[in-house]
Amino acid sequence: MGKPLIVVLGAGLGGTIASYEIKAALKDRADVMTVSDSDTYSFIPSNPWVAVRWREPEAIQVHLPPVFAKKKIGFTSVGAKRLHAGEKRLELNDGSSINYDYLVISTGPELAFDEIEGLGPHGGHTVSICQTAHASAAADAFDAFAQNPGPIVVGAVQGASCYGPAYEFAMILDTELRKRKIRDKVPMIYVTPEPYIGHLGLDGVGDTKSLLESELRDRHIKWITNARVTSVEPGVMHVEEVGEDGAVKKTHDLPFGFSMMLPAFRGVPAVSNIEGLTNPRGFIIVDKHQRNPTWPDIFALGVCIAIPPTGPTPVPVGVPKTGFMIESMVSAISANLKQILDGREPTFEASWNAICLADFGDGGVAFMAQPQIPPRNVNWSASGRWVHTAKVAFEGYFLHKVRSGQAEPLYEKLALDLIGAHKVRRS
């Protein structure tokens, strides 16, 4: 009887480090195979910098095949066409299949631009920072915009679940426009489904409401909350502002010369609409051990998993999954697979703490929620120039981790140490 095969589906932030850590935890007791649709890893948190040319795409990317080969982890960039959970088989885009013993799903999301007419970079009228290629195209669009400046609309649409990058990009745009000495020619408005500024899909963390309202106000960025984007046409975004009772209280036709709106997410087609595996949006259902209750040989982590919202809101607002939280899911899955191979039931749980560094180019906001969903043991936020320095440091740390195939989970520890040091400096 051969060694069990563990297949990791996805090689983004979660899938790449999951492959490293699972291999390190199990060593020669199992084979690990990673299936991706690209042989390039991109550090997605740096995409807002790419979109204003503070980074070139190549600076935040890693060519994966040599690293995986060095770590003796199988790798293919053919991509997955369809999961056949009942057969424990992953069908690939080239017609071949992989039969697995255990599957770890870390695909990230499909970007649901098509749910709003005119949204997105593919035939739509707004740019995106969700993928590095999108951010690079956005940089070209921003350079063209700077030659003929006008209004900017930035934010997120209904159902979005990752608000930190939207706030980051709004502030980064403000910083870059001031550097180019054209900020006075650019009215800016922030559009979001959140019920209030700083909600973040988490019902706020610490004083994020006041901190982010103050940042927007100081930078002369107006905002619309409880916003539902109905359609986008060239140079105009149509938005409904919804009241607490769910009724439309005002409509806005917002002109723009440049716009970036984060879309809603859904599960990728390869794993969607499998009974017992996914919810109606295609996100993977997991228990507290990151394991699917219906298919116990399947684990999942990261943006592709189902997390219920923190509470009802007039406009749908999703819950984010931060990089720190994802790394804790990776560690839990690695430990649980080791227990399973030892003939035991899995007992490890992810911490699900939300720790975020939102960089604004000349400062930023940091927050920590432990656990992510209220009520919390820790509910902290702070702002200052140190956040920008910290974000640059984390970029370097994480890219080193991916390039070297490092398995040790240090992301959350370093963040806690950094924030702890900031608290000491202020006391």
Side-chain angles (χ1 to χ4, degrees), residues 148-221:
N148 184 27
I152 284 179
V153 178
V154 63
V157 306
Q158 58 272 23
S161 58
C162 192
Y163 298 94
Y167 284 106
E168 275 192 310
F169 196 53
M171 313 298 184
I172 285 170
L173 284 171
D174 170 78
T175 301
E176 179 62 19
L177 289 165
R178 283 187 279 112
K179 286 181 178 178
R180 298 192 188 202
K181 302 189 185 305
I182 55 172
R183 180 66 182 90
D184 59 313
K185 300 176 181 178
V186 182
M188 291 181 66
I189 188 162
Y190 187 83
V191 175
T192 179
E194 299 163 272
Y196 57 85
I197 291 297
H199 181 280
L200 300 168
L202 298 168
D203 200 11
V205 182
D207 199 23
T208 51
K209 182 178 188 295
S210 295
L211 285 173
L212 289 170
E213 279 188 355
S214 178
E215 284 284 351
L216 291 174
R217 194 176 291 112
D218 288 348
R219 294 168 185 264
H220 306 285
I221 301 173

Side-chain angles (χ1 to χ4, degrees), residues 297-350:
D297 45 47
I298 297 177
F299 293 79
L301 63 101
V303 180
C304 70
I305 71 168
I307 299 180
T310 55
T313 52
V315 180
V317 170
V319 177
K321 296 102 174 180
T322 68
F324 305 93
M325 178 180 170
I326 290 169
E327 193 174 61
S328 78
M329 296 182 199
V330 168
S331 295
I333 290 173
S334 299
N336 286 330
L337 284 168
K338 189 172 187 295
Q339 286 185 316
I340 290 169
L341 294 190
D342 288 337
R344 295 180 287 159
E345 284 298 306
T347 61
F348 286 86
E349 302 177 24

